[in-house]
Short mmCIF file of all heavy atoms in Angstrom, two decimals:
data_model
loop_
_atom_site.label_atom_id
_atom_site.label_comp_id
_atom_site.label_asym_id
_atom_site.label_seq_id
_atom_site.Cartn_x
_atom_site.Cartn_y
_atom_site.Cartn_z
N LYS A 13 135.48 101.39 74.17
CA LYS A 13 134.74 100.65 73.12
C LYS A 13 133.26 100.50 73.56
O LYS A 13 132.93 100.29 74.84
CB LYS A 13 135.37 99.28 73.02
CG LYS A 13 134.70 98.41 71.96
CD LYS A 13 135.39 97.11 71.73
CE LYS A 13 134.75 96.22 70.59
NZ LYS A 13 135.42 95.13 70.20
N VAL A 14 132.32 100.62 72.61
CA VAL A 14 130.96 100.30 72.89
C VAL A 14 130.77 98.80 72.66
O VAL A 14 130.67 98.42 71.52
CB VAL A 14 129.94 101.20 72.07
CG1 VAL A 14 128.58 100.83 72.24
CG2 VAL A 14 130.20 102.62 72.25
N TRP A 15 130.54 98.06 73.69
CA TRP A 15 130.33 96.60 73.59
C TRP A 15 128.92 96.25 73.19
O TRP A 15 128.01 96.97 73.41
CB TRP A 15 130.79 95.96 74.94
CG TRP A 15 132.23 96.31 75.27
CD1 TRP A 15 132.73 97.34 75.96
CD2 TRP A 15 133.33 95.48 74.80
NE1 TRP A 15 134.09 97.30 75.97
CE2 TRP A 15 134.54 96.13 75.31
CE3 TRP A 15 133.49 94.32 74.08
CZ2 TRP A 15 135.91 95.66 75.07
CZ3 TRP A 15 134.83 93.83 73.85
CH2 TRP A 15 135.91 94.46 74.36
N GLU A 16 128.85 95.08 72.57
CA GLU A 16 127.56 94.62 72.06
C GLU A 16 126.45 94.63 73.02
O GLU A 16 125.29 94.97 72.67
CB GLU A 16 127.72 93.28 71.31
CG GLU A 16 128.72 93.29 70.21
CD GLU A 16 130.15 93.10 70.48
OE1 GLU A 16 130.40 93.22 71.71
OE2 GLU A 16 130.86 92.89 69.64
N CYS A 17 126.60 94.13 74.23
CA CYS A 17 125.58 93.97 75.20
C CYS A 17 125.02 95.26 75.75
O CYS A 17 123.95 95.24 76.44
CB CYS A 17 125.98 93.03 76.33
SG CYS A 17 126.21 91.31 75.76
N THR A 18 125.69 96.31 75.54
CA THR A 18 125.22 97.67 76.01
C THR A 18 123.77 97.98 75.37
O THR A 18 122.88 98.43 76.09
CB THR A 18 126.27 98.82 75.55
OG1 THR A 18 127.47 98.49 76.21
CG2 THR A 18 125.75 100.09 76.11
N GLU A 19 123.69 97.78 74.05
CA GLU A 19 122.40 98.03 73.50
C GLU A 19 121.36 97.11 73.97
O GLU A 19 120.19 97.51 74.20
CB GLU A 19 122.57 97.78 71.93
CG GLU A 19 121.25 97.96 71.14
CD GLU A 19 121.56 97.69 69.63
OE1 GLU A 19 122.65 97.59 69.15
OE2 GLU A 19 120.47 97.41 68.96
N VAL A 20 121.69 95.83 74.21
CA VAL A 20 120.67 94.92 74.76
C VAL A 20 120.16 95.30 76.09
O VAL A 20 118.99 95.25 76.40
CB VAL A 20 121.32 93.40 74.78
CG1 VAL A 20 120.37 92.52 75.55
CG2 VAL A 20 121.75 92.93 73.41
N LEU A 21 121.13 95.75 76.98
CA LEU A 21 120.73 96.13 78.38
C LEU A 21 119.94 97.40 78.27
O LEU A 21 118.81 97.45 79.00
CB LEU A 21 121.99 96.38 79.17
CG LEU A 21 121.72 96.79 80.66
CD1 LEU A 21 120.91 95.69 81.31
CD2 LEU A 21 123.05 97.02 81.45
N ALA A 22 120.28 98.38 77.50
CA ALA A 22 119.45 99.64 77.37
C ALA A 22 118.06 99.32 76.89
O ALA A 22 117.09 99.81 77.54
CB ALA A 22 120.18 100.56 76.43
N SER A 23 117.90 98.43 75.86
CA SER A 23 116.61 98.07 75.42
C SER A 23 115.77 97.35 76.48
O SER A 23 114.60 97.62 76.71
CB SER A 23 116.73 97.25 74.23
OG SER A 23 115.44 96.76 73.75
N HIS A 24 116.43 96.49 77.27
CA HIS A 24 115.72 95.74 78.19
C HIS A 24 115.19 96.68 79.35
O HIS A 24 114.12 96.58 79.78
CB HIS A 24 116.68 94.72 78.89
CG HIS A 24 116.11 93.81 79.89
ND1 HIS A 24 115.43 92.68 79.58
CD2 HIS A 24 116.01 93.87 81.25
CE1 HIS A 24 114.92 92.16 80.69
NE2 HIS A 24 115.35 92.91 81.69
N VAL A 25 116.15 97.63 79.86
CA VAL A 25 115.74 98.57 80.75
C VAL A 25 114.58 99.46 80.34
O VAL A 25 113.59 99.57 81.04
CB VAL A 25 116.86 99.44 81.17
CG1 VAL A 25 116.48 100.58 82.06
CG2 VAL A 25 117.89 98.61 81.96
N LEU A 26 114.66 99.98 79.12
CA LEU A 26 113.60 100.88 78.73
C LEU A 26 112.28 100.11 78.47
O LEU A 26 111.12 100.76 78.67
CB LEU A 26 113.94 101.41 77.33
CG LEU A 26 115.17 102.49 77.44
CD1 LEU A 26 115.54 102.97 76.06
CD2 LEU A 26 114.86 103.59 78.42
N SER A 27 112.30 98.87 78.20
CA SER A 27 110.95 98.14 78.06
C SER A 27 110.41 97.74 79.47
O SER A 27 109.28 97.27 79.40
CB SER A 27 111.24 96.89 77.19
OG SER A 27 111.92 95.90 77.99
N ARG A 28 111.04 97.99 80.52
CA ARG A 28 110.58 97.62 81.80
C ARG A 28 110.66 98.73 82.83
O ARG A 28 110.78 98.44 84.08
CB ARG A 28 111.37 96.32 82.31
CG ARG A 28 111.09 95.08 81.47
CD ARG A 28 112.12 94.00 81.73
NE ARG A 28 111.82 92.87 81.03
CZ ARG A 28 111.97 92.59 79.66
NH1 ARG A 28 112.39 93.60 78.95
NH2 ARG A 28 111.61 91.50 79.24
N LEU A 29 110.49 99.93 82.46
CA LEU A 29 110.64 101.06 83.36
C LEU A 29 109.61 100.94 84.51
O LEU A 29 110.05 101.26 85.65
CB LEU A 29 110.50 102.49 82.61
CG LEU A 29 111.53 102.85 81.69
CD1 LEU A 29 111.10 104.03 80.95
CD2 LEU A 29 112.84 103.06 82.37
N VAL A 30 108.42 100.62 84.22
CA VAL A 30 107.33 100.52 85.29
C VAL A 30 107.80 99.42 86.26
O VAL A 30 107.71 99.71 87.50
CB VAL A 30 105.94 100.38 84.70
CG1 VAL A 30 104.99 100.13 85.84
CG2 VAL A 30 105.55 101.56 83.85
N GLU A 31 108.02 98.24 85.71
CA GLU A 31 108.42 97.14 86.49
C GLU A 31 109.60 97.45 87.43
O GLU A 31 109.62 96.99 88.57
CB GLU A 31 108.66 95.96 85.65
CG GLU A 31 109.18 94.68 86.33
CD GLU A 31 109.64 93.69 85.43
OE1 GLU A 31 109.37 93.63 84.13
OE2 GLU A 31 110.43 92.79 85.89
N LEU A 32 110.57 98.17 86.93
CA LEU A 32 111.81 98.46 87.67
C LEU A 32 111.63 99.55 88.66
O LEU A 32 112.52 99.73 89.46
CB LEU A 32 112.93 98.76 86.68
CG LEU A 32 113.38 97.66 85.74
CD1 LEU A 32 114.36 98.13 84.68
CD2 LEU A 32 114.01 96.52 86.59
N LYS A 33 110.60 100.29 88.59
CA LYS A 33 110.23 101.40 89.60
C LYS A 33 111.47 102.34 89.67
O LYS A 33 111.98 102.48 90.73
CB LYS A 33 109.90 100.75 91.00
CG LYS A 33 108.74 99.86 90.95
CD LYS A 33 108.53 99.16 92.23
CE LYS A 33 107.38 98.17 92.22
NZ LYS A 33 107.24 97.37 93.35
N VAL A 34 111.82 102.95 88.50
CA VAL A 34 113.01 103.80 88.53
C VAL A 34 112.76 105.16 89.09
O VAL A 34 113.72 105.88 89.48
CB VAL A 34 113.55 103.87 87.08
CG1 VAL A 34 114.10 102.48 86.74
CG2 VAL A 34 112.58 104.42 86.09
N ASP A 35 111.50 105.77 89.07
CA ASP A 35 111.23 107.04 89.54
C ASP A 35 111.69 107.06 91.02
O ASP A 35 111.18 106.23 91.89
CB ASP A 35 109.79 107.41 89.51
CG ASP A 35 109.45 108.27 88.25
OD1 ASP A 35 110.47 108.54 87.48
OD2 ASP A 35 108.36 108.74 88.08
N GLY A 36 112.46 107.99 91.43
CA GLY A 36 113.02 108.14 92.78
C GLY A 36 114.00 107.08 93.22
O GLY A 36 114.35 106.94 94.36
N ALA A 37 114.54 106.30 92.25
CA ALA A 37 115.54 105.22 92.45
C ALA A 37 116.96 105.69 92.59
O ALA A 37 117.32 106.68 91.98
CB ALA A 37 115.40 104.10 91.48
N ASN A 38 117.73 105.08 93.44
CA ASN A 38 119.12 105.17 93.46
C ASN A 38 119.69 104.23 92.46
O ASN A 38 119.45 102.96 92.62
CB ASN A 38 119.70 105.08 94.84
CG ASN A 38 119.30 106.01 95.76
OD1 ASN A 38 119.33 107.22 95.60
ND2 ASN A 38 118.79 105.60 96.97
#
Side-chain angles (χ1 to χ4, degrees):
K13 180 172 179 173
V14 177
W15 297 90
E16 294 85 350
C17 290
T18 300
E19 179 185 341
V20 173
L21 182 57
S23 176
H24 184 86
V25 168
L26 292 178
S27 70
R28 290 163 175 80
L29 289 175
V30 174
E31 176 191 340
L32 294 172
K33 301 175 183 172
V34 294
D35 262 4
N38 294 311

